[in-house]
Amino acid sequence: MAKGEGAEQYSNASLLNKPGNSDGTQLAKRHEQNRLSVCNKICYAIGGAPYQITGCALGFFLQIYLLDVAQIDPFYASIILFVGRAWDAVTDPTVGFLVSRSPWTRFGRMLPWIVLSTPLAVISYFLIWYVPPFENGKVIWYLFFYCLFQSLQTCFHVPYSALTMFISSEQKERDSATAYRMTVEVLGTLLGTAIQGQIVGLANAPCIPGPADILAEPSNFSASPGLNESKPVISLEHTRTAYMIASGVICLIYIICAVVLFFGVREQKESSRPRSEPMSFFQGIKLVMGYGPYAKLVMAFLFTSLGFMLLEGNFALFCSATLGFRNNFQNILLVIMLSATLAIPFWQWFLTRFGKKTAVYVGTLAVIPFMILVVSLKSNLAVTYICSFAAGVGVAVAFLLPWSMLPDVVDDFQVQNPDFTGHEALFYSFYVFFTKFASGVSLGISTLSLDFAGYISRGCSQPKEVDLTLKLLVSAAPIALMAIGLSIIYSYPINEEKRQANRKLLQDLRENEADSETDSAELANVV
């Protein structure tokens, strides 16, 4: 027998007799490798908490903090909020572009960004909530540290968002991990609201009565100086200290979550297909925005998210200034986040049973009647709590659906463009870019409109123009934006049938690639 024939027979026999080389065993092995344990999913989900905790604290409380605690003029507060969010929006595609060009390390491609950005991020976040001992440069102080924190948090969040595509190649596992993530992120918003709201609520400085308040209720403001001597006096300094304590607690949680994510998640290396050639920044914009399904999804959630952001950014001030619940607004915000947390498992079941587009429609439309009710009735604490709980059910949709549908678009793009690989971070970063830029515009315009309406810092009551403006910002404007978003999502082409077809095509492609890798490795060992 010739030497070559013997080697060939030995090779064939070894391939046939080796149990791990049967198609069924190989398939099972690959599925096992792609399967995520509950511990992996929890550790991955915990990594999403810092973004939501800090984002919720900033979204709900930064406007009222700048106006009433730091006592920034509403005009300059609007500049801080707009420029900070706009800067944050610009950094998202920039970081996504840099991440897409990052080399693979022994820790992965996304995790090093997350770990290295964390220390500076927590320092800059803490300094946002510190009132500097000078007046002239106060606006520059808040603008600088707000922009710095947003940049550093982007270096955490964009790689973390793209990490969804690298924890498993199985769509089912990614969807399950996304559900874990959304649950923890909504818990993060609940935690952020609870920490910031409850600590600050314990040291809420009293309002300052104006001439109209004294004329309306003179008995409340004409008491003798010694009348309330037995009651502890809460000053503005106490309130500022409370904000710093709350930010310190949030910074500690931020660090713990980053550590858990780093040690609890293993980033899977990309498939054997070579990554496509690196592209320029503007080529990346053309690539992702030129893809129809992605553009429609981004535009739809741009408007719906913008509606929820307007509600989030102005609701604390609405409860405090318009409804008069200065000592209860933090509890009302907590009810919204608690309701959203409890609703996440329900919406996860709903989108599995009825589809993701249906979930967007039902969840968004469900919140609108309560947004109308809360501004239509006179100030009533019980009704406000009921409306807040009902609104939280719809807020859960705004958390869950965008991040559940983005992987479907990325999968569809990979099916349509199999030669373009390694650009997943671009899809996530540009989505975040548009939503953040829009939120910056909305917060800037809403705060500026309060300035035009005559907002009084720490005033016990506000002019009627301010009350009307706040009602528009938490009801009419968000509803109009949500309606536009729902009209766009109607033409979104990826339904459940197409999603399942893409899943099967990608699964077959990955199995074929894995078979090729296995065969090549075994032939190399034989040789």
Side-chain angles (χ1 to χ4, degrees):
M1 181 182 296
K3 183 177 180 180
E5 294 175 351
E8 184 179 355
Q9 289 181 3
Y10 172 78
S11 173
N12 292 336
S14 64
L15 290 173
L16 289 171
N17 294 329
K18 194 173 181 180
N21 282 302
S22 64
D23 291 340
T25 306
Q26 287 182 11
L27 184 61
K29 185 178 180 180
R30 283 193 295 273
H31 283 308
E32 187 64 29
Q33 290 174 345
N34 287 317
R35 186 172 298 154
L36 299 172
S37 67
V38 173
C39 181
N40 291 142
K41 294 175 184 177
I42 292 175
C43 290
Y44 166 73
I46 287 174
Y51 180 77
Q52 295 300 337
I53 293 174
T54 56
C56 187
L58 291 169
F60 276 133
F61 294 95
L62 184 59
Q63 183 190 54
I64 198 170
Y65 167 81
L66 292 175
L67 294 174
D68 290 353
V69 181
Q71 295 187 318
I72 303 290
D73 183 86
F75 174 77
Y76 292 110
S78 68
I79 292 176
I80 293 170
L81 293 171
F82 168 71
V83 174
R85 288 296 184 99
W87 174 260
D88 184 25
V90 170
T91 59
D92 278 292
T94 305
V95 172
F97 173 72
L98 295 174
V99 169
S100 67
R101 297 172 69 95
S102 299
W104 180 269
T105 69
R106 67 191 185 97
F107 299 109
R109 193 151 62 95
M110 307 297 167
L111 290 175
W113 283 84
I114 294 170
V115 172
L116 295 177
S117 65
T118 296
L120 292 175
V122 297
I123 294 173
S124 58
Y125 178 80
F126 181 80
L127 292 176
I128 291 174
W129 303 101
Y130 171 72
V131 180
F134 48 80
E135 289 296 328
N136 291 335
K138 196 182 284 187
V139 174
I140 301 299
W141 172 280
Y142 289 113
L143 185 60
F144 174 77
F145 284 109
Y146 188 34
C147 291
L148 179 61
F149 170 71
Q150 299 286 23
S151 300
L152 292 166
Q153 192 184 50
T154 298
C155 294
F156 182 108
H157 187 62
V158 169
Y160 174 75
S161 299
L163 189 62
T164 308
M165 304 300 296
F166 298 98
I167 56 176
S168 175
S169 61
E170 292 288 335
Q171 188 185 66
K172 183 179 180 181
E173 292 297 312
R174 295 201 307 260
D175 284 346
S176 177
T178 299
Y180 275 81
R181 171 189 166 185
M182 292 301 107
T183 303
V184 171
E185 286 192 355
V186 177
L187 284 172
T189 63
L190 178 65
L191 189 60
T193 306
I195 293 171
Q196 192 85 5
Q198 298 305 310
I199 293 177
V200 170
L202 294 174
N204 193 16
C207 62
I208 300 175
D213 300 309
I214 297 175
L215 290 174
E217 298 182 62
S219 60
N220 292 340
F221 304 103
S222 61
S224 61
L227 183 64
N228 294 323
E229 287 181 354
S230 60
K231 295 182 180 180
V233 177
I234 299 176
S235 67
L236 186 60
E237 288 300 320
H238 290 119
T239 305
R240 291 174 175 177
T241 302
Y243 272 99
M244 291 180 63
I245 293 172
S247 67
V249 174
I250 289 175
C251 286
L252 180 61
I253 296 173
Y254 194 118
I255 295 172
I256 293 173
C257 292
V259 171
V260 170
L261 173 65
F262 181 76
F263 288 104
V265 174
R266 186 175 71 87
E267 187 176 341
Q268 294 186 6
K269 197 166 185 178
E270 295 160 298
S271 66
S272 60
R273 287 185 296 167
R275 294 175 64 196
S276 56
E277 289 296 322
M279 60 180 63
S280 69
F281 178 76
F282 292 103
Q283 286 176 327
I285 296 178
K286 184 178 180 181
L287 173 71
V288 298
M289 294 311 300
Y291 189 61
Y294 177 78
K296 290 179 180 179
L297 184 69
V298 167
M299 292 303 295
F301 281 115
L302 171 65
F303 284 101
T304 55
S305 299
L306 186 53
F308 281 109
M309 287 173 187
L310 267 180
L311 178 63
E312 176 191 59
N314 295 281
F315 198 68
L317 205 57
F318 171 74
C319 292
S320 176
T322 301
L323 299 182
F325 303 139
R326 288 184 58 86
N327 298 321
N328 299 98
F329 77 90
Q330 69 272 10
N331 298 324
I332 295 171
L333 300 179
L334 192 60
V335 167
I336 294 176
M337 293 299 103
L338 177 62
S339 172
T341 304
L342 297 175
I344 283 287
F346 165 77
W347 288 119
Q348 179 62 25
W349 168 83
F350 189 95
L351 67 87
T352 304
R353 179 69 177 81
F354 299 101
K356 297 179 181 181
K357 286 180 66 174
T358 305
V360 173
Y361 277 101
V362 174
T364 305
L365 292 174
V367 75
I368 291 177
F370 299 97
M371 293 172 63
I372 297 173
L373 182 63
V374 77
V375 299
S376 300
L377 300 179
K378 290 184 178 181
S379 178
N380 186 297
L381 187 59
V383 172
T384 303
Y385 274 121
I386 294 172
C387 291
S388 300
F389 186 87
V393 177
V395 170
V397 174
F399 280 105
L400 178 62
L401 267 301
W403 300 109
S404 180
M405 296 174 76
L406 273 173
D408 299 339
V409 174
V410 176
D411 285 345
D412 189 68
F413 178 83
Q414 290 178 345
V415 170
Q416 302 295 330
N417 303 273
D419 295 331
F420 285 93
T421 58
H423 302 299
E424 292 83 359
L426 292 176
F427 286 91
Y428 288 89
S429 61
F430 277 106
Y431 166 73
V432 178
F433 163 76
F434 285 109
T435 55
K436 285 184 177 179
F437 187 82
S439 70
V441 172
S442 68
L443 281 176
I445 292 176
S446 62
T447 309
L448 190 60
S449 64
L450 292 174
D451 183 34
F452 292 148
Y455 179 81
I456 302 171
S457 178
R458 293 182 62 198
C460 291
S461 65
Q462 297 292 339
K464 292 182 179 179
E465 293 80 3
V466 173
D467 292 338
L468 176 61
T469 300
L470 286 171
K471 287 181 179 180
L472 292 174
L473 291 173
V474 301
S475 182
I479 290 172
L481 291 167
M482 291 174 188
I484 295 173
L486 292 179
S487 65
I488 297 174
I489 202 71
Y490 180 78
S491 62
Y492 176 67
I494 302 179
N495 53 26
E496 290 303 302
E497 292 76 14
K498 189 169 185 178
R499 189 173 71 88
Q500 294 296 337
N502 288 342
R503 176 185 178 183
K504 187 176 186 306
L505 286 171
L506 288 174
Q507 183 175 335
D508 292 341
L509 178 62
R510 287 162 184 153
E511 288 172 1
N512 292 334
E513 289 173 354
D515 289 338
S516 300
E517 289 179 10
T518 304
D519 293 343
S520 299
E522 289 174 346
L523 290 174
N525 291 333
V526 170
V527 173

